[in-house]
């Protein structure tokens, strides 16, 4: 009887038509927002497990289903392969996962519950047993914890917290008697240690001589900590030095004296060396043509425009050595020692990728380990055999991978976004061209879904921020414009890396000093000409957008040419003179414009401002800006809007409440994606192609 049923079932299955695989479909706005972000891959000391974070949008609460919040949670996956498992469930999210060096505990930072007085809880360090169990809180820092590091013997944790207000100042704040003196009354961040067993916390550094920046690094014997600190908490204060603190005596010694920035210290496993990154100006390596007397007179330097150097500090002799090489024209990332202390791993941008590199200390040699990859190193196992990292590609979103220290083969462990397999994606291509003055330039072209050679397409140009930034050839579902979202609607999307971008050498990085809107503008326009000449871009259907410096470039472009049918200026700099006096990092403009504005430099500040040339604009321009933006204040958007509106130009200004320089709220992100698409479609392709987003 059982056999008969089996035969009948088999016959039925054969008779049923085979289910066809799902057909790829274009990416939607909901797909962009639904993509989960994977980060922070941390391998266990024994190399068998990897912690990682997953960030996603979810309802604020059961009662507020329509209000969306971005929450980060911690997951765990076997390094040998297998399903990942979520291990934290904090109501506001959890981040910064680490393993204790002995592998017994998992730690993370989370803000849970409610603080006294009805205020929101501050982020604290939580621990849970690695073999399972509930998480419990370790610290009770009044102002919360911003970063931390385990002691090598797993008995203590060093952490950072900001000095709390005095009782009197806190009482005044609560009753809103809180007048604030600008660039004064600083609250510094300092180092503490806490005993894991007793929860006894001890302040290690104090005072107003410096504020600690970034998590510290322990000496292997657990007696000292190295850390970076700067004189003030101001964002525009780029000075920083490396210090060593003796834990038992609380004595602190400064080991560097660079007038610029020394940061990201990492103590070698053998205890002999501290590696760190240093920004060094020399007569042969000027970083900004600032004349004497035109730099800020409060001691803060102009921002550094150049490559950092890998430096090595010999702990025994207190001698510094410079590991930079003339033939290694790359800006290294944070150093990570391999367990034998002979080599240092790091990632760095190289052209259109973020590659892995290693520095051999004895041989003084740099070696590139990956080619054509975009990777982020997380951590290294105790025996050095396993490296955990995050990697993405043009066809796959970021996921957790593991490899050996040679990076010979990357093995993927997670599939956090299985729905991505259903997306119809446009092909990416790295394109190179010569600018009008002969400069070699590179960018990334995202072709429309279903691209046909010989057919011209509407082209959207997306200028990057910075200007010291660069586009890499990674997964393009997301970002300012959605990338593949627009490719699915028939757009070609162009991501140029003009002069002033990183990843192409220090000369290229510094090539737009005193020349914003000059060579960088010509590089972008010649890149468009290149795509037109190849028969890809329709010269009559061009649009241009950008955010921050990309917003500056968009505002500048529309004053220099009438080729674009539509533009979006996002958080853009439009008047460099007023921008200097109102933003939170004016030292950046000091570097790029030859000094602060005065009778000598004012000509450049004014000449390279879009507002000076606003009479020339004919392009319909959408302007988007965060209401609380301090990096590029809202006034920059208002100036451009008023200049265009009073001249009868097609324009619209949209302000996002509560947002700073970036857009972070769910419905604001959705609005931005939709609004950009509707605006460029309406004015580039015509009314029939899409509706506007008038609200």
């Amino acid at each position: 009887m059982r056999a008969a049923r089996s035969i009948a079932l088999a016959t039925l299955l054969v008779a049923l038509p085979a289910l066809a695989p799902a057909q790829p479909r274009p990416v939607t706005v909901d797909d962009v927002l639904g993509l989960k972000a994977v980060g922070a891959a941390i391998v266990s000391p024994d190399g068998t497990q990897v912690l990682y974070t997953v960030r996603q949008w979810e309802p604020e609460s059961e009662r507020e289903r329509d209000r969306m919040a971005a929450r980060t949670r911690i997951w765990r996956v076997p390094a040998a392969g297998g399903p990942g498992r979520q291990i934290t469930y904090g109501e506001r999210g959890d981040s910064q996962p680490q393993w204790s060096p002995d592998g017994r505990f998992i730690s993370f930072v989370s803000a849970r519950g409610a603080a006294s007085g009805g205020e929101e809880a501050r982020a604290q360090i939580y621990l849970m047993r690695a073999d399972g169990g509930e998480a419990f809180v370790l610290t009770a820092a009044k102002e919360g914890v911003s970063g931390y590091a385990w002691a090598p013997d797993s008995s203590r944790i060093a952490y950072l917290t900001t000095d709390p207000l005095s009782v009197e100042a806190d009482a005044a704040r609560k009753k809103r008697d809180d007048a604030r003196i600008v660039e004064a009354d600083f609250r510094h961040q300092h180092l503490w240690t806490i005993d894991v067993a007793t929860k006894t916390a001890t302040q290690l550094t104090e005072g107003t001589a410096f504020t600690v920046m970034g998590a510290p690094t322990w000496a292997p014997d657990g007696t000292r900590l190295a850390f970076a600190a700067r004189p003030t908490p101001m964002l525009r204060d780029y000075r920083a030095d490396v210090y060593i603190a003796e834990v038992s005596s609380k004595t602190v010694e400064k080991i560097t004296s660079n007038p610029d920035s020394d940061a990201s210290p990492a103590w070698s496993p053998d205890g002999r060396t501290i590696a760190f990154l240093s920004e060094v100006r020399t007569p042969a390596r000027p970083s900004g043509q600032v004349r004497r007397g035109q730099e800020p007179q409060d001691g803060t330097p102009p921002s550094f425009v150049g490559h950092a150097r890998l430096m090595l500090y010999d702990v025994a002799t207190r001698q510094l050595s410079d590991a930079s090489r003339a033939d290694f024209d790359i800006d290294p990332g944070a150093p990570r020692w391999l367990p034998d202390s002979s080599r240092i791993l790091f990632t760095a941008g190289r052209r259109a990728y973020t590659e892995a590199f290693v520095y051999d200390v004895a041989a003084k040699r740099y070696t590139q380990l990956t080619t054509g990859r975009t990777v982020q190193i997380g951590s290294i196992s105790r025996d050095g055999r396993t490296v955990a990292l995050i990697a993405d590609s043009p066809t796959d979103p970021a996921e957790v991978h593991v490899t050996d220290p040679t990076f010979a083969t990357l093995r993927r462990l997670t599939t956090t976004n299985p729905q991505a397999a259903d997306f119809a994606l446009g092909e990416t291509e790295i394109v190179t061209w010569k600018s009008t003055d002969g400069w070699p330039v590179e960018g990334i072209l995202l072709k429309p879904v279903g691209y046909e050679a010989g057919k011209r397409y509407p082209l959207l140009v997306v200028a990057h921020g910075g200007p010291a930034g660069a586009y890499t050839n990674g997964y393009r579902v997301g970002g300012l414009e959605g990338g593949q979202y627009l490719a699915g609607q028939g757009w070609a999307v162009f991501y140029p890396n003009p002069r002033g971008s990183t990843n192409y050498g220090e000369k290229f990085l510094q090539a737009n000093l005193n020349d914003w809107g000059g060579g960088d503008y010509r590089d972008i326009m010649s890149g468009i000409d290149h795509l037109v000449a190849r028969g890809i871009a329709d010269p009559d259907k061009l649009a241009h957008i950008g955010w921050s410096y990309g917003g500056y470039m968009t505002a500048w472009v529309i004053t220099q040419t009438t080729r674009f049918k539509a533009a979006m200026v996002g958080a853009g700099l439009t008047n460099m003179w007023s921008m200097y006096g109102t933003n939170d990092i004016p030292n950046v403009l000091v570097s790029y414009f030859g000094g602060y504005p005065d009778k000598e430099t004012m000509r450049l500040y004014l000449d390279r401002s879009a507002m000076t040339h606003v009479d020339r604009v004919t392009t319909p321009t959408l302007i988007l800006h965060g209401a609380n933006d301090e990096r590029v204040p809202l006034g920059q958007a208002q100036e451009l809007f008023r200049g265009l509106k009073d001249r009868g130009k097609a324009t619209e200004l949209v302000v996002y409440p509560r947002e700073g320089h970036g857009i972070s709220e769910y419905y604001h992100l959705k609005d931005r994606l939709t609004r950009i698409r509707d605006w460029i479609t309406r004015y580039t392709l015509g009314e029939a192609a899409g509706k506007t987003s008038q609200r």
Side-chain angles (χ1 to χ4, degrees):
M1 191 69 180
R2 181 180 300 173
R5 282 201 302 265
S6 299
I7 293 171
L9 179 59
T11 303
L12 177 62
L13 291 175
V14 170
L16 290 174
L19 294 176
Q23 292 298 311
R25 57 175 179 77
V27 173
T28 67
V29 170
D30 288 337
D31 289 330
V32 174
L33 294 172
L35 204 68
K36 299 175 183 178
V38 176
I42 308 297
V43 67
S44 59
D46 63 6
T48 63
Q49 302 284 322
V50 178
L51 300 175
Y52 62 102
T53 59
V54 177
R55 182 181 183 271
Q56 67 185 70
W57 290 102
E58 59 187 46
E60 179 74 31
S61 65
E62 286 296 323
R63 297 176 58 184
E64 297 179 290
R65 302 293 300 176
D66 290 337
R67 184 171 176 176
M68 303 296 285
R71 300 273 164 72
T72 299
R73 302 272 169 34
I74 297 167
W75 289 61
R76 178 175 178 170
V77 65
R85 178 170 62 90
Q86 183 178 338
I87 62 172
T88 69
Y89 298 85
E91 63 267 28
R92 296 183 186 87
D94 314 292
S95 62
Q96 299 186 49
Q98 293 187 31
W99 297 89
S100 62
D102 61 12
R104 295 173 58 219
F105 289 99
I106 292 169
S107 57
F108 57 92
V109 172
S110 186
R112 301 184 176 191
S116 61
E119 297 185 351
E120 285 193 1
R122 305 286 187 175
Q124 306 292 346
I125 298 173
Y126 281 74
L127 302 183
M128 66 167 55
R129 300 281 307 191
D131 56 4
E134 293 293 327
F136 60 92
V137 67
L138 179 67
T139 58
K142 186 174 182 180
E143 295 298 321
V145 172
S146 61
Y148 70 100
W150 281 89
D153 65 358
S154 302
S155 66
R156 293 162 295 167
I157 293 177
Y159 65 92
L160 302 182
T161 187
T162 300
D163 291 338
L165 292 169
S166 66
V167 174
E168 296 77 15
D170 195 35
R173 177 188 63 83
K174 289 178 180 177
K175 68 179 182 181
R176 299 190 178 181
D177 179 14
D178 54 357
R180 179 171 61 93
I181 302 174
V182 175
E183 297 187 356
D185 297 334
F186 298 124
R187 297 172 63 195
H188 292 73
Q189 186 167 247
H190 282 291
L191 271 177
W192 291 62
T193 60
I194 188 166
D195 186 279
V196 173
T198 66
K199 295 188 179 182
T200 301
T202 304
Q203 186 165 1
L204 185 58
T205 65
E206 59 184 357
T208 59
F210 56 74
T211 184
V212 182
M213 48 181 284
T217 176
W218 286 85
D221 62 5
T223 63
R224 291 162 293 175
L225 286 159
F227 61 92
R230 57 189 183 195
T232 74
M234 292 189 298
L235 287 175
R236 71 182 186 84
D237 193 344
Y238 301 109
R239 298 169 292 177
D241 284 296
V242 176
Y243 297 76
I244 294 177
E246 187 82 32
V247 176
S248 60
S249 66
K250 301 182 184 179
T251 57
V252 178
E253 176 190 5
K254 186 166 73 168
I255 65 172
T256 66
S257 56
N258 177 19
D260 284 290
S261 175
D262 297 321
S264 303
W267 214 308
S268 64
D270 63 10
R272 297 177 179 177
T273 311
I274 297 173
F276 63 93
L277 302 180
S278 184
E279 296 176 348
V280 183
R281 293 176 219 252
T282 68
R285 296 177 70 231
S287 178
Q289 306 296 323
V290 179
R291 296 197 314 278
R292 186 177 299 277
Q294 280 197 308
E295 63 276 358
Q297 297 301 295
D298 60 357
T300 62
S303 68
F304 183 83
V305 184
H307 289 173
R309 301 179 177 188
L310 179 63
M311 304 289 287
L312 302 175
Y313 176 77
D314 188 300
V315 177
T317 65
R318 300 185 177 183
Q319 296 297 308
L320 281 171
S321 59
D322 186 346
S324 64
R325 294 175 57 100
D327 59 355
F328 186 74
D329 193 11
I330 287 175
D331 194 20
R336 293 173 174 82
W337 289 92
L338 286 166
D340 63 2
S341 299
S342 68
R343 293 163 295 163
I344 299 171
L345 278 179
F346 60 92
T347 57
R350 187 160 209 176
R351 302 184 73 86
Y353 296 96
T354 303
E355 308 281 13
F357 295 83
V358 66
Y359 176 71
D360 186 301
V361 176
K364 299 182 179 181
R365 180 178 64 246
Y366 290 93
T367 302
Q368 184 172 333
L369 301 176
T370 61
T371 302
R373 301 301 303 242
T374 301
V375 300
Q376 305 168 44
I377 297 174
S379 71
I380 307 165
S381 63
R382 186 170 46 225
D383 62 9
R385 295 180 180 178
T386 305
V387 179
L389 60 119
I390 304 295
D392 73 328
S393 73
T395 56
D396 294 294
E399 294 289 355
V400 179
H401 294 67
V402 289
T403 186
D404 65 87
T406 68
F407 282 69
T409 303
L410 272 61
R411 183 161 50 85
R412 177 171 160 174
L413 298 183
T414 60
T415 302
T416 310
N417 293 283
Q419 77 281 9
D422 298 335
F423 299 163
L425 301 179
E427 177 189 352
T428 63
E429 177 190 343
I430 297 175
V431 293
T432 58
W433 67 94
K434 287 287 185 70
S435 191
T436 53
D437 52 359
W439 277 75
V441 193
E442 186 173 79
I444 298 161
L445 173 66
L446 173 57
K447 297 176 181 177
V449 174
Y451 170 76
E452 299 176 24
K455 180 179 177 181
R456 293 190 181 274
Y457 293 88
L459 181 73
L460 175 65
V461 182
V462 188
H464 66 62
Y471 285 119
T472 56
N473 191 27
Y475 196 61
R476 307 231 72 90
V477 176
L480 174 62
E481 74 304 324
Q484 295 283 3
Y485 163 57
L486 291 176
Q489 300 188 30
W491 285 83
V493 189
F494 180 41
Y495 303 91
N497 287 331
R499 69 191 75 182
S501 300
T502 55
N503 296 5
Y504 295 91
E506 194 167 67
K507 181 180 179 181
F508 195 85
L509 174 64
Q510 296 177 347
N512 67 341
L513 292 170
N514 300 323
D515 194 36
W516 279 28
D520 45 10
Y521 165 73
R522 295 191 298 273
D523 293 348
I524 292 173
M525 298 305 295
S526 58
I528 296 168
D529 291 339
H530 174 71
L531 297 179
V532 170
R534 284 183 55 186
I536 297 172
D538 187 332
D540 298 320
K541 295 178 180 177
L542 304 176
H544 197 295
I545 68 172
W547 200 267
S548 192
Y549 171 80
Y552 163 84
M553 184 54 64
T554 304
W556 177 257
V557 161
I558 61 175
T559 69
Q560 304 300 304
T561 180
T562 61
R563 292 179 66 181
F564 295 98
K565 297 296 187 292
M568 189 287 295
V569 176
L573 301 75
T574 63
N575 184 336
M576 308 313 289
W577 183 17
S578 61
M579 173 69 184
Y580 164 81
T582 56
N583 86 105
D584 61 357
I585 50 170
N587 301 43
V588 171
L589 296 186
V590 170
S591 285
Y592 279 101
F593 284 79
Y596 56 70
D598 68 0
K599 64 180 181 180
E600 299 295 331
T601 61
M602 187 60 74
R603 177 178 297 177
L604 184 62
Y605 273 88
L606 291 178
D607 181 63
R608 300 306 171 91
S609 296
M611 291 308 301
T612 301
H613 313 286
V614 72
D615 284 333
R616 303 175 182 172
V617 177
T618 62
T619 304
T621 303
L622 174 65
I623 308 168
L624 307 180
H625 218 101
N628 298 336
D629 193 346
E630 294 184 351
R631 186 63 35 79
V632 179
L634 178 59
Q636 295 293 302
Q638 292 169 321
E639 288 190 48
L640 180 61
F641 174 70
R642 183 53 50 207
L644 296 175
K645 190 77 171 180
D646 286 356
R647 288 164 174 78
K649 308 299 182 181
T651 187
E652 183 178 280
L653 170 61
V654 180
V655 177
Y656 294 107
R658 299 173 302 281
E659 300 285 13
H661 191 51
I663 302 300
S664 61
E665 294 186 17
Y666 179 86
Y667 291 107
H668 290 167
L669 288 168
K670 189 169 188 176
D671 179 272
R672 184 174 71 174
L673 281 166
T674 306
R675 199 177 290 273
I676 291 172
R677 181 266 176 194
D678 289 350
W679 186 272
I680 64 172
T681 299
R682 174 188 178 189
Y683 286 102
T684 309
L685 307 183
E687 289 277 3
K691 64 182 182 61
T692 62
S693 296
Q694 300 292 335
R695 304 289 174 91

